[in-house]
Amino acid sequence: MKISGSNELLEQIQNNNLCVGCGACVGICPYFKAHKGKVAMTFSCDRTEGRCYAHCPGTETDYDVLANELFNKPYEEKPIGNYIKIYGAKAGEKAVNGSFQNGGTVTTLMKFAMEKGLIDSAVLTDSIDMIPDPQIVTKSDEIGNFSSTKYMASPTVSKFNEAIKMGHKKIGVVGTPCQMKAIGKIKSNPLDREEFKKPETFLIGLFCTWAVDTKNFIKLLESKTDISKIKSMDIPPPPAEVFILKTETEAIEIPLDDIRKIVPEGCSLCPDMTCEWADISVGAFEGRSGWNTLIVRTKKGEELINSAISEGYLTVEEFPDENVTHLTKGSVGKKKRGLAKREELMKSMDQNDNGSATAPSVVGFR
Amino acid sequence: MSIFTEEQNGTRHLLMGNEAIVRGAIEAGLDVAAGYPGTPSSEIIETLAKYAEKNNHYVEWSVNEKVALEVAAAGSFSGLRSLAVMKQPGLNVASDFLLHLSASGTRGPMVLLCADDPGALSSINEGETRFYARLMEIPLIEPGNFQEAKDMMKWAFELSEEIRNIVLVRTVTRLSHASGNVTLGERKESVGKAFFKNDGFILDPMEGSVMSAPVAYKHGEQQVKLKRCAEIFEKSPFNVYEGPVNPELLIITSSICDLYSKEAVSLLNAEKRVGILKLGTTFPLPPKLIEQYLAKADKILIVEEVLPFLEESIKVLAAELAPTIGAKQFFGKANGDIPMVNELNPDIVVTALSSILGIEYKEVDEEYKKRASEICFFGSPARETTFCPGCPHRASFFSINKNISMDNRSGFTCGDIGCYSMGMLPGGFSTLKTLHAMGSGTGLASGFGKMTKFGMEQPVVSVCGDSTFFHSAMPPLVNAIHNNSNLTMIVLDNSGTAMTGFQPHPGLEVDATGSEAPKIDIPSVCKGMGVNVEVCDPFDLAKTQETLFKFLESDGVNVLVLKQICALSPEKKGKKMFNMSIDDSVCLGGECGCNKMCTRVLSCPGLIWDRETEKSTINDVICIGCGVCASVCPSGAIKKEEA
Ligand SMILES: Cc1cc2nc3c(=O)[nH]c(=O)nc-3n(C[C@H](O)[C@H](O)[C@H](O)COP(=O)(O)OP(=O)(O)OC[C@H]3O[C@@H](n4cnc5c(N)ncnc54)[C@H](O)[C@@H]3O)c2cc1C
Ligand SMILES: Cc1ncc(C[n+]2csc(CCOP(=O)(O)OP(=O)(O)O)c2C)c(N)n1
Ligand code: SF4
C-alpha cells in the first residue's frame, strides 16, 4: 500500500471534491485546518509521506489492517460488518433523560463508559449556529449536552488527534463511518512512528447514509427559516422522503431530494452504512420511534453493554429478523452504490489525465 | 561645508546623478520643490529637504505626484522657481493636471523632473516619460552624463523662463544612481518673494487668470512656445556630435545610451567609421541640426531604451527631408537590432554595430564564458526574494493567506505598491493575485466585490500600505463604500514609506524637512467614511486572524489596519522585542507534524535550517526578535523571552 504526502492528498481527494471533512488530517500538523465544517490546507508541505494522507478515509485503505486492529482477524466481507449481536435499544430507567435523537443509547453508553472508567475522555460533536463543533469532554455529566444528530459532515476526528496529543490514554469517540474508518487508520500507526502512543478507545459508530455540507446546509436552512429558532432535525422513516426541521412553533418539511443535492461528493463513494469500524454501532430503529438499532461488534462493546443492561442504564429488546433483513438490504445497497461510484470515478480519472493522479483504491475490499 | 549650501563655483566633485540634479536646481536659484517618493528619483527631494532651511527653500513630500505638481505650480504662479520631482508612474498620476498646466502656461520658471526605470530595476513597469512631452506638447531635455545632469537642470529653468511653460527633464536609473565628476557652477539668487497676480486682463499670461481656456487660443500659444523651443534647440550645446566628418554609420542617441554607444564604438575600434550624435533636446527635435547630420551618412542606427521615441521622430523628419538628403537605411527597434524591452548596455550596442558594420567581435573568451557561467550556477546559492527579518508584512501575509485558505471559498487578495508587493512571491506566500498601479488594489477589490450580481461568491481582500493609503487608496475605498461593495481592505501600516526609504507621509508627525507636522489618523479617516475599522498588531497572529475571519464573513466594506513599525525603520533598528531561542529537543524539524514550518514556510531570514542536526536555529545576528516564529511553531520549540 502506498502512503503519499499532502500534495497527493490534495490531488486525489480535495481537488476531486472527495473530502468529507472528517478532520482526520487536522490537528497533527500546522497545515491542515478545519473551519466552518470544511477542511483546508493553509500552506504547502513537500513531504512525500504524511499522516494526512495515511489517515484520510478516502485514500487507499487496507481493510485487513483495520479488521485485525478491531476484531483480531482479517476482513470478512459481510453486509453489515462484523458483529456479535443486534438489539433494539434505548436508554434505561437509570439513565438521565435528554433530548436524544432516537433512543439515547449513544449518550447513555458514553456516559456509562466514562463513569465506569473505560474512557477518560470522549470526543463528541456539538454545533454552534449549525456549524459542527467537535469537542473533547472529560466530565461525564457534560456528555448529555452533545445528544442529538447534527447532520452536517463534521471534523470530529481532529479532536481525536488532539486528545492523543494531549496525552489522553482512554478515548471514547462517537462518529460516522468515515470518521471511524479514519480512527482505525490512525490507530494502526501507518507511518510506524516510534513516538506514537496508541490510546485505548471505545468507539460508538453511527449509522449513516450521508451527511450534508455545512455551508450549503446553512444556506438551505436560511432560505426556509431563522436558523437560530431550529430546535431539532429528523429524517422520518421511508416512505416519507422528507427532512423535518422543528422550531418551537412549527415543523418545516424539506424534500429529501433537496437535501441530497448538498451531500458532499465524497459521501457517495462511502460503502459503509452501519459503521463497521466501531465497538458498537447505533442507528434509528425503523418503525419504532424513540428506539435505536444497536449492533454489538467487539468483545469490549459486548461487555459494556451487558453491564449497562444489568445496571439498568440500557433497555434492550430482541431485534426482529425482518428488520435484520431490511438493514442488510439497506447496507448492501449503499455498498453497491459506493463501489460503483468509485469505479466510475477511477475510470474518469484514468481518462482525463496522464496517469499521475490515481484514484484512491481499496485494498482488501474485493 | 556642503555643495548644497555653498557657492563653491568651479570646484569638482564626485556626485551621484541625483545630487548633480539637485545642485543644478540650486544653481538655478530654486525656491519651491515638491515630489512623491519613487525610485530612482527619491534622493532629489530628500537632499533638497535636508538643506531646505539653510537655502530658504520650501520643500515637501506631497501626498501624491499630482498634488506635488500642483504645489510646485503654485510656486511658479507666484513668480518663484519651482520643481516637481517624481518617478515615471507618478507622471501618469500627475498627467491630468499636466495637460491643463501645459496649456495654461507657467510664470516663474518651472521644471518637472521625471526618473524612468528602463529594465524595471525597481519598478513593475517600463513606463516612458518621453512620449508625454509629445502628448502634452512641452519641451523635453535629457542629460547624458553627470555634468549634464547638473548643467541641463540649471538650463531647464532658464528655458522655462524664456518660453513661460513647464520644461520636462528626464533621467534614468543608471544616471540618477551612478556617480561621476561634476564641476560646479555659479549659484543664482533665489526669487524669494511670492505674489500671485490675478487681476489683470483675463488673457494676460502674467497677470490674468491661469487656465487652459479659451482652449484654441491657449493651445495655439502653447504650440508657438514649442516652435520657439525647436529654434533654441538648434543651437543647444547639449546636442553633440563626435566622430568622422563623413561616417559610414551615424548613431543617434540620447540620455545614458550615449555612454553605451561610445563604449561600444571604442570596443570595436570603429571610431573612424562611426559618428555619434548625442541629443540632449529630444522634443521637439531641432530639424536643421538633424538634417545636417543625417546628410552625413547613409546608414543610421538609433540607440535608445524601451520604445522607439527618437527613432520614430527621426524617421518622420528623414521622410520629409528625403528630397534633399536622399534615402537612408535605418537600424534600431524596427529592424530588431535594438530591443524594445529592458535597459540597454554596451554589449547590446556592440552586437548591433558588429552586425551592421560586419565586424567580428567576441566579448569574452569562450572558455572563460563557460567557466563563469558554471561558477555562477553552482557557486551561488539560490536565494528567494523575501521580506527582511521581523518584517510586519511577513506576519500579515501569513495571517491573510492562512485565513483565506481556511475560509475555503477561493477568496483572493488584490495587491498594491510597496514593500508588500512582494506578497506576490513565495516569500509572501504568493498571497497577492493582482498587482498594478498605486491604489489599484482597492479599486479592483471594489469592482470584484460587486461581481456577486453575477454569481461570484469569492471573498475579496485588498491590501495597501500607509503611504499608498494616502496616495491613492482613499478614493477607491470611498467608491467601495458608496457602491455597497463587499471587501476587506487591509492597511499594512508600517509607519513610513518603506520601499523607497522611509520618507514621511501624512500619517506621520513629521514632514519632509523633519519638522513637526499634524498627522492624519488612518482609522479615523476610515471611520469618517462610515466604515467599520479595527486595528490589530500583525505580530499578534491570533487576534489578527480572529478579526480577519470576522471581516471575511461579514458583508459590506471593512477595514483592518495592521499596525507595526517597519523592522528597518530608524526608530526600531537594533531594538529587539524578544530574545529568541529554539529548544532542539522539542523541534520536530522535517518530521510529519511540522516539516520546517519556520524555515521552509515562514522563512524569515532570522531562522536557519541546520543541515547537520536537522533542526531549526535562530541566527542571533539577523533576528530582530519579533517573536512571530514562536507563534507559528507547531510544537512550541521556539521560545521568546522579553528582551
Ligand atoms: C450525519 C449523520 C447521518 C445519520 N444517518 C442515519 C441514517 O441514515 N440512518 C440511521 O438509522 N441513523 C442515522 N444516523 C444516526 C442517528 O441519527 C442517531 O445519531 C443514532 O440513532 C443515535 O441516536 P441516539 O438517540 O442514541 O443519539 P444521541 O444520544 O442523541 O447522541 C447523538 C450523538 O451523535 C453525535 N453526533 C451528532 N452529530 C454528529 C456528527 N455530525 N458527527 C459525529 N457525531 C455526531 C453526538 O456527539 C452525540 O454523542 C445518522 C447520524 C449522523 C450524525
Ligand atoms: C505612482 C507611483 N508613485 C511612486 C511609486 C514608488 N513607490 C513604490 S512603493 C512606494 C511606497 C509605498 O509605501 P507604503 O504604501 O507605505 O508601503 P511600504 O513600502 O511601506 O510597505 C512608492 C512611493 C510608484 N510605484 N508609483
Ligand atoms: S523572532 Fe523569528 S520571525 Fe521574528 S525576526 Fe527573529 S527569527 Fe524572524
Side-chain angles (χ1 to χ4, degrees), chain B residues 126-245:
Chain B
E126 289 193 293
E128 275 271 11
T129 286
R130 298 177 300 166
F131 289 85
Y132 273 97
R134 207 186 268 164
L135 187 66
M136 303 286 168
E137 298 168 84
I138 52 174
L140 169 68
I141 63 177
E142 298 184 68
N145 58 46
F146 305 94
Q147 184 66 45
E148 282 189 355
K150 178 192 79 65
D151 293 346
M152 289 179 80
M153 193 63 191
K154 188 176 184 183
W155 176 56
F157 284 88
E158 290 160 18
L159 182 63
S160 172
E161 184 149 30
E162 180 153 357
I163 62 161
R164 300 282 176 207
N165 210 352
I166 188 164
V167 172
L168 184 53
V169 181
R170 173 186 181 252
T171 173
V172 293
T173 307
R174 298 300 183 189
L175 179 62
S176 278
H177 279 177
S179 297
N181 281 334
V182 177
T183 304
L184 306 188
E186 197 185 324
R187 256 187 90 160
K188 264 195 196 169
E189 281 283 315
S190 294
V191 179
K193 176 104 186 85
F195 187 78
F196 176 42
K197 291 187 191 133
N198 55 51
D199 50 2
F201 172 55
I202 190 155
L203 292 182
D204 183 329
M206 298 306 283
E207 298 190 352
S209 303
V210 195
M211 58 179 175
S212 57
V215 174
Y217 171 72
K218 288 280 172 81
H219 198 177
E221 292 285 287
Q222 185 185 352
Q223 286 168 355
V224 170
K225 292 175 183 179
L226 214 52
K227 280 224 175 71
R228 173 84 193 102
C229 280
E231 283 161 21
I232 296 169
F233 291 173
E234 294 286 4
K235 290 177 220 74
S236 165
F238 301 114
N239 300 325
V240 185
Y241 176 77
E242 261 179 52
V245 181

Side-chain angles (χ1 to χ4, degrees), chain A residues 31 35-36 44 46 51 215, chain B residues 407 553 590 592 594-595 600:
Chain A
Y31 304 107
H35 179 68
K36 303 229 155 159
S44 70
D46 58 2
R51 283 174 290 170
K215 280 182 188 166
Chain B
D407 177 84
E553 277 153 15
C592 179
C594 178
N595 193 16
R600 190 182 58 85

Side-chain angles (χ1 to χ4, degrees), chain B residues 389-390 580 602 604 606-607 618 623-629:
Chain B
M580 308 299 294
L602 187 69
C604 171
L607 292 154
I618 298 277
C623 167
I624 71 126
C626 70
V628 168
C629 53

Side-chain angles (χ1 to χ4, degrees), chain B residues 240-253:
Chain B
V240 185
Y241 176 77
E242 261 179 52
V245 181
N246 286 307
E248 191 181 328
L249 175 76
L250 174 70
I251 291 181
I252 303 181
T253 187

Side-chain angles (χ1 to χ4, degrees), chain B residues 388-391 394 539 567 576 578-582 598 602-608 617-619 622-630 632 638-640:
Chain B
C388 307
C391 176
R394 176 184 291 104
F539 288 168
K576 279 196 180 191
F578 298 103
N579 290 319
M580 308 299 294
S581 61
I582 299 186
C598 62
L602 187 69
S603 39
C604 171
L607 292 154
I608 302 173
T617 53
I618 298 277
N619 181 343
I622 290 179
C623 167
I624 71 126
C626 70
V628 168
C629 53
V632 307
I638 307 183
K639 305 265 187 296
K640 57 182 193 186

